[in-house]
């Protein structure tokens, strides 16, 4: 059986466009708001990544940190993240949801209990930022057994031997980090160079869906549209912060950003 | 879980970098896999390279000033009237603390790897000060990440960093202390690992940083072993080695040569920061039974809530004010080779007062935690017991805090 994630990429491919993936932090700035945002942006986003807020996020830049600290301050708990995801999946059955976080949350929750909960909440995929290959091999197998896509990350520093191994052990989707940066960095590599690296990955196994993330904004998204999928995170979190500061409706503002992003790649 | 004899503790981990099967590891973002691997290879090569060892020993001697002295604290011993109290005065090392060993080795590694930029974290400011010194000495450009709260409370060390030409990057997130500085430093490295080397300021972080730091500070116990033999003709029958534990670099360095001894002969006692007496907050994951968690790329006992969010910590001592601890100390705790306890802010202050009153020694707030434990147990022991405290930092950096709390300069 093919996964919902695979299906979603196929659909986008049939329309000759990349899939649009969004990243928001669960509970930013409240449980209710973040669910509303998710539901609303999924009119344009093909896949929604939902972040577990963590208070020591070593790979996140300022925008996502701000969102995470805000969510934690508002009392978000792991079970709330699952509740948001579950609720979302009830109304948007065909939109894949990918949870993203740091390994300590899974470790504290217990791997098996965490995966059971994922399955129960209809989670489609998982990204664990600080749990690299090959350390993640066992966990990734466990995910597969539960029908959950474990998404491997690769970066410009990934060696070619390593890349081969990672691709071989990957599931349906691979996440290519565009540059040496935390999230929220300015795109400091030319889109041409990023795509060159991207195709080095893509051409090794065309059946894998490879997405590009980090540094993608309304300004840069168009230049990367040859990819299978593009992830936008910090630009969205930034819009939430801005809306809160200006006392505007974050749901409307963020949805507008996502709509504009989508329009640039269709 | 068992400690092997005859093998350095820093090498007793499995293929994934875990001590005792569960402490340590390398929980790092994919981008850091390559630089960490490169560093691991380089270190593995250099530590066996006779020329490199010669170079290290040359700088340890001519630049750091090894060996630091080993002295009996006669007055304090007489005052307490029990065990003999001795000190290894590591604060005599160039710069005023043990952090210079790790900093020097990292600067040498950075040079060997052809990198021109070096970055590091700091809490008490000693790790930062020493890295800035080593960077200056070896012609490297240096950036130091430091929590905004620590910048305020450890001004003398910040002045030194600036004088050495390092840039201090203030960190305003979270509790604005060491934990946030390490996070921010790691983020910077993720973004700049192609031309920048990172030094982690203690035996914490991804596996390789634990190893490099432990390998560097181990110099302290090599010196002590020789000094014990020359002072007592042989290693005495009853020794207690007391050391403060923040990340645990000074304690590991103080103990490494003695881990294979029977604990009845040489007891290892680590003293963590218990925080203010009246506060619930502390920085004592080992002695106050924190659960295992992942912080800054390694699994260790960590002050955290049951969802895995890292807890705020509180300590008068910026150098000990950290929610995690070295995986090596977790291993020593679980194998029961070392015993861990804590001292409160007040106990550390009192210890500082007592030591400075009786001795010509000025321990900073970190080793004052270790002295607090020595003062507590010495009267109950007899004079055949040799207590040795690692006086690993000089209180010059704490002058503002001491003035505020004790009204002295
Ligand atoms: C003088 C001194 N002692 C102890 C520490 C604690 O670190 P560690 O436990 O790694 O020795 C520090 C840290 O800054 C320090 O400056």
């Amino acid at each position: 059986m093919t996964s919902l994630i695979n299906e979603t990429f196929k659909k986008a491919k049939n329309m000759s466009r990349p899939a649009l993936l969004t990243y928001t932090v669960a509970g930013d700035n409240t449980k209710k708001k973040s669910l509303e945002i998710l539901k609303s942006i999924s009119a344009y986003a093909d896949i929604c990544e939902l972040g577990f807020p963590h208070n020591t996020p070593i790979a996140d830049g300022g925008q996502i940190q701000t969102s995470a600290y805000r969510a934690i301050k508002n009392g978000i708990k792991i079970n709330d993240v699952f509740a948001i995801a579950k609720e979302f999946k009830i109304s948007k059955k065909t939109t894949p949801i990918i949870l993203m976080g740091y390994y300590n949350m899974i470790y504290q929750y217990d791997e098996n209990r965490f995966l059971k909960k994922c399955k129960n909440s209809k989670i489609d995929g998982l990204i664990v930022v600080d749990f690299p290959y090959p350390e993640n091999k066992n966990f990734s197998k466990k995910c597969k057994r539960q029908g959950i896509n474990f998404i491997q990350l690769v970066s410009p520093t990934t060696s070619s031997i390593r890349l081969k191994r990672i691709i071989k052990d990957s599931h349906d989707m691979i996440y290519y980090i565009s540059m040496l940066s935390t999230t929220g960095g300015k795109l400091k590599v030319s889109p041409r160079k990023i795509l060159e690296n991207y195709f080095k990955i893509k051409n090794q196994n065309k059946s894998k869906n490879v997405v590009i993330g980090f540094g993608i904004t309304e300004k840069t998204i168009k230049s990367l549209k040859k990819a299978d999928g593009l992830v936008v995170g910090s630009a969205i979190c930034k819009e939430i912060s801005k809306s809160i500061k200006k006392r505007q409706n974050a749901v409307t503002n963020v949805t507008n950003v996502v709509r504009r992003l989508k329009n640039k790649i269709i | 879980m068992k400690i092997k004899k005859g093998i350095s503790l820093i090498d007793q981990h499995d293929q994934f970098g875990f001590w005792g099967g569960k402490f340590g590891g390398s929980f790092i973002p994919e981008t850091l896999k390559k630089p960490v691997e490169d560093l691991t290879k380089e270190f593995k090569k250099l530590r066996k390279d006779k020329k490199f060892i010669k170079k290290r020993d040359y700088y340890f001697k001519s630049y750091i000033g090894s060996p630091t002295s080993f002295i009996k604290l006669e007055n304090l011993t007489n005052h307490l009237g029990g065990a003999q109290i001795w000190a290894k005065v590591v604060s005599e090392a160039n710069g005023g603390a043990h952090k210079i060993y790790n900093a020097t080795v990292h600067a040498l590694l950075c040079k060997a790897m052809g990198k021109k930029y070096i970055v590091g974290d700091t809490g008490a400011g000693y790790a930062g000060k020493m890295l800035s010194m080593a960077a200056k000495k070896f012609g490297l450009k240096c950036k130091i990440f430091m929590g905004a709260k620590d910048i305020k409370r450890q001004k003398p060390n910040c002045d030194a960093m600036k004088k050495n030409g390092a840039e201090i990057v203030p960190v305003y997130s979270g509790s604005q202390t060491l934990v946030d500085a390490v996070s921010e430093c790691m983020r910077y490295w993720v973004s700049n690992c192609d031309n920048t080397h990172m030094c982690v300021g203690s035996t914490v972080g991804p596996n390789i940083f634990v190893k490099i730091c432990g390998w560097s500070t181990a110099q302290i116990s090599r010196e002590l072993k020789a000094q014990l033999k020359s002072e007592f003709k042989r290693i005495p029958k009853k020794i207690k080695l007391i050391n403060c534990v923040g990340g645990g670099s000074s304690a590991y360095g103080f103990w490494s040569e003695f881990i294979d001894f029977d604990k009845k002969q040489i007891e290892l006692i680590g003293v963590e920061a218990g925080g203010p007496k009246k506060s619930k907050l502390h920085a004592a994951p080992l002695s106050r039974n924190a659960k295992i968690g992942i912080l800054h790329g390694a699994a260790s006992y960590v002050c955290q809530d049951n969802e895995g969010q890292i807890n705020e910590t509180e300590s008068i001592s910026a150098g000990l004010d950290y929610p995690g601890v070295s995986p090596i100390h977790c291993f020593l705790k679980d194998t029961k080779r070392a015993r861990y306890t804590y001292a409160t802010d007040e106990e550390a202050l009192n210890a500082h007062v007592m030591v400075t009153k009786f001795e010509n020694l000025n321990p900073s707030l970190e080793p004052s935690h270790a002295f607090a434990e020595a003062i507590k147990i010495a009267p109950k022991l007899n004079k055949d017991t040799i207590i040795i405290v690692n006086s690993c930092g000089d209180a010059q950096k704490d002058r503002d805090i001491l003035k505020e709390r004790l009204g002295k300069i």
Side-chain angles (χ1 to χ4, degrees):
Chain A
M1 199 187 75
T2 175
S3 70
L4 185 57
I5 290 182
N6 231 345
E7 287 299 309
T8 306
F9 280 107
K10 228 183 250 162
K11 261 191 227 155
K13 186 138 294 164
N14 287 339
M15 292 186 256
S16 311
R17 62 165 178 89
L20 177 62
L21 292 86
T22 55
Y23 171 92
T24 51
V25 174
D28 184 22
N29 64 332
T30 64
K31 276 179 252 179
K32 196 164 149 261
K33 258 285 168 333
S34 73
L35 178 60
E36 274 175 44
I37 290 174
L38 267 187
K39 283 185 179 170
S40 173
I41 61 179
S42 66
Y44 307 101
D46 298 293
I47 298 176
C48 292
E49 293 182 8
L50 184 64
F52 275 93
H54 186 40
N55 72 357
T56 317
I58 55 167
D60 283 304
Q63 302 298 348
I64 291 178
Q65 279 183 57
T66 303
S67 283
Y69 300 154
R70 197 156 53 208
I72 292 168
K73 205 167 159 209
N74 283 332
I76 190 92
K77 294 282 188 287
I78 297 179
N79 280 337
D80 298 326
V81 181
F82 283 119
I84 292 168
K86 192 170 182 174
E87 192 71 20
F88 173 75
K89 286 295 281 193
I90 288 170
S91 60
K92 304 273 177 179
K93 288 191 178 56
T94 57
T95 306
I97 191 153
I98 294 172
L99 292 185
M100 183 161 178
Y102 289 83
Y103 185 66
N104 198 34
M105 328 236 47
I106 299 174
Y107 186 79
Q108 298 311 323
Y109 204 84
D110 180 79
E111 282 191 0
N112 296 329
R113 184 173 160 233
F114 188 90
L115 287 177
K116 230 184 244 156
K117 192 87 184 177
C118 283
K119 194 170 176 177
N120 188 264
S121 318
K122 304 262 188 314
I123 302 301
D124 297 281
L126 271 181
I127 300 175
V128 192
V129 183
D130 57 347
F131 199 24
Y133 186 86
E135 283 89 340
N136 63 31
K137 259 173 131 170
N138 264 335
F139 183 68
S140 141
K141 273 188 205 143
K142 274 193 203 171
C143 289
K144 194 156 199 171
R145 258 181 258 133
Q146 299 284 348
I148 295 161
N149 255 281
F150 184 84
I151 293 145
Q152 299 281 2
L153 296 148
V154 289
S155 113
T157 58
T158 309
S159 69
S160 54
I161 311 168
R162 206 176 140 69
L163 183 61
K164 274 210 177 75
R165 290 187 189 138
I166 294 177
I167 293 174
K168 192 173 143 279
D169 277 345
S170 67
H171 301 168
D172 298 333
M173 174 176 155
I174 294 168
Y175 190 131
Y176 177 62
I177 299 167
S178 64
M179 55 179 172
L180 305 190
S181 175
T182 54
T183 56
K186 237 183 134 132
L187 205 62
K188 58 182 179 182
V189 182
S190 73
R192 195 180 51 81
K193 183 76 198 159
I194 295 171
L195 285 171
E196 200 181 301
N197 285 338
Y198 165 86
F199 279 110
K200 271 187 209 148
I201 303 160
K202 180 67 187 173
N203 290 338
Q204 290 206 20
N205 184 342
K206 295 233 168 56
S207 76
K208 303 286 182 186
N209 305 290
V210 185
V211 306
I212 303 175
F214 284 43
I216 300 182
T217 59
E218 285 184 51
K219 277 210 183 83
T220 56
I221 192 164
K222 196 169 179 162
S223 61
L224 296 165
K225 66 185 266 197
K226 280 194 190 137
D228 292 339
L230 297 166
V231 190
V232 184
S234 292
I236 294 173
C237 293
K238 190 172 167 185
E239 188 63 32
I240 298 178
S241 298
K242 223 165 92 188
S243 304
I244 292 169
K245 202 168 154 204
K246 290 188 174 167
R247 295 172 189 277
Q248 290 173 347
N249 185 337
V251 182
T252 319
N253 286 356
V254 170
T255 307
N256 285 337
V257 169
V258 178
R259 181 166 38 81
R260 288 199 299 268
L261 285 162
K262 182 69 167 283
N263 283 336
K264 296 229 155 80
I265 54 171
I266 52 177
Chain B
M1 205 181 282
K2 243 182 126 168
I3 296 175
K4 292 192 198 103
K5 292 210 166 159
I7 304 172
S8 172
L9 204 57
I10 59 167
D11 295 317
Q12 295 191 31
H13 56 80
D14 64 19
Q15 58 156 337
F16 287 125
F18 290 97
W19 282 272
K22 59 180 179 185
F23 301 117
S26 285
F27 295 87
I28 48 176
E30 173 62 24
T31 302
L32 292 183
K33 268 278 179 184
K34 171 113 189 352
V36 161
E37 221 168 80
D38 290 348
L39 179 61
T40 305
K41 274 191 205 140
E42 188 73 21
F43 178 62
K44 193 173 169 187
K45 187 183 85 190
L46 289 178
R47 65 188 285 201
K48 284 197 206 115
D49 178 346
K50 286 204 181 84
K51 272 210 314 249
F52 184 78
I53 299 292
K54 226 173 135 181
K55 202 191 251 174
R56 176 198 70 177
D57 291 343
Y58 169 77
Y59 287 112
F60 276 9
K61 194 161 178 234
S62 73
Y63 174 61
I64 295 179
S66 287
T68 57
S69 56
F70 172 54
I71 57 168
K72 185 167 184 191
L73 304 182
E74 293 277 3
N75 301 332
L76 190 63
T77 300
N78 291 339
H79 173 74
L80 293 169
Q84 297 180 39
I85 303 183
W86 294 66
K88 171 85 175 137
V89 193
V90 172
S91 58
E92 284 170 1
N94 193 7
H98 65 290
K99 300 281 178 192
I100 190 68
Y101 297 101
N102 187 44
T104 302
V105 168
H106 269 285
L108 289 171
L109 285 168
C110 179
K111 288 281 278 192
M113 294 175 78
K115 291 187 169 176
K116 292 195 176 64
Y117 302 90
I118 195 161
V119 294
D121 57 79
T122 196
Y126 269 134
K129 175 183 171 187
M130 308 310 185
L131 198 63
S132 73
M133 282 165 54
K136 188 174 172 195
K137 169 123 188 128
F138 296 106
L140 303 164
K141 265 197 90 70
C142 178
K143 241 188 233 299
I144 300 296
F145 293 82
M146 188 168 187
K149 178 176 170 187
D150 291 339
I151 291 178
K152 267 197 212 117
R153 62 176 166 170
Q154 307 279 237
K155 191 169 176 300
N157 279 349
C158 296
D159 295 342
M161 286 180 241
K162 280 183 218 146
K163 218 180 102 213
N164 292 326
E167 179 193 347
I168 303 175
V169 183
V171 180
Y172 296 103
S173 57
S175 51
Q176 316 198 351
T177 57
L178 180 56
V179 66
D180 312 292
V182 178
S183 299
E184 198 57 29
C185 187
M186 290 183 95
R187 289 184 195 113
Y188 182 87
W189 199 39
V190 170
S191 302
N192 298 278
C193 57
D194 50 346
N195 62 9
T196 301
H197 175 71
M198 178 175 77
C199 166
V200 177
S202 184
T203 37
V204 298
N207 172 281
I208 185 60
F209 292 98
V210 176
K211 295 184 69 162
I212 294 172
C213 185
W215 187 78
S216 310
T217 54
Q219 172 68 15
I220 301 168
S221 63
R222 279 196 295 273
E223 292 173 11
L224 179 61
K225 202 172 187 182
Q227 288 165 327
L228 278 170
K229 281 178 187 159
S230 82
E231 187 73 43
F232 298 98
K233 308 279 184 303
R234 60 189 166 86
I235 308 282
K237 280 272 159 18
K238 214 150 186 53
I239 298 181
K240 293 184 190 295
L241 298 179
I242 308 184
N243 207 119
C244 62
V245 176
S249 64
S250 144
Y252 176 73
F254 193 45
W255 297 346
S256 66
E257 285 289 320
F258 304 104
I259 289 166
D260 283 356
F261 282 74
D262 192 302
K263 70 175 170 192
K264 287 199 196 97
Q265 182 181 5
I266 302 185
E267 194 190 5
L268 312 175
I269 305 170
V271 188
E272 299 186 296
K277 201 169 142 197
K278 285 203 196 105
S279 171
K280 274 207 184 78
L281 297 180
H282 57 81
L286 292 169
S287 56
R288 296 182 68 165
N289 297 316
K291 280 194 309 177
I292 301 175
I294 288 108
L295 172 65
H296 295 145
S300 78
Y301 290 111
V302 176
C303 302
Q304 59 181 331
D305 67 15
N306 48 26
E307 298 242 314
Q309 305 290 358
I310 306 305
N311 282 350
E312 278 213 24
T313 55
E314 191 177 357
S315 169
I316 191 170
S317 146
L320 305 182
D321 202 354
Y322 184 70
V325 67
S326 178
I328 286 188
H329 287 290
C330 300
F331 187 44
L332 285 168
K333 176 187 158 152
D334 276 24
T335 51
K336 301 198 161 62
R337 177 61 189 95
R339 166 171 86 79
Y340 296 89
T341 181
Y342 62 87
T344 61
D345 286 1
E346 292 77 8
E347 288 167 328
L349 276 170
N350 290 340
H352 174 84
V353 171
M354 186 181 282
V355 173
T356 48
K357 179 174 159 199
F358 286 107
E359 301 290 341
N360 183 23
L361 193 66
N362 192 24
S364 70
L365 288 166
E366 290 81 13
S368 293
H369 283 70
F371 277 112
E373 178 66 15
I375 290 165
K376 203 183 282 178
I377 64 173
K380 299 178 219 158
L381 301 165
N382 68 35
K383 64 176 186 3
D384 298 332
T385 303
I386 315 287
I387 288 178
I388 309 170
V389 178
N390 181 358
S391 193
C392 58
D394 186 274
Q396 163 66 13
K397 71 163 177 81
D398 293 325
R399 62 172 191 224
D400 296 344
I401 302 169
L402 293 170
K403 194 170 164 190
E404 189 193 319
R405 297 290 294 259
L406 306 170
K408 75 170 209 179
I409 304 170

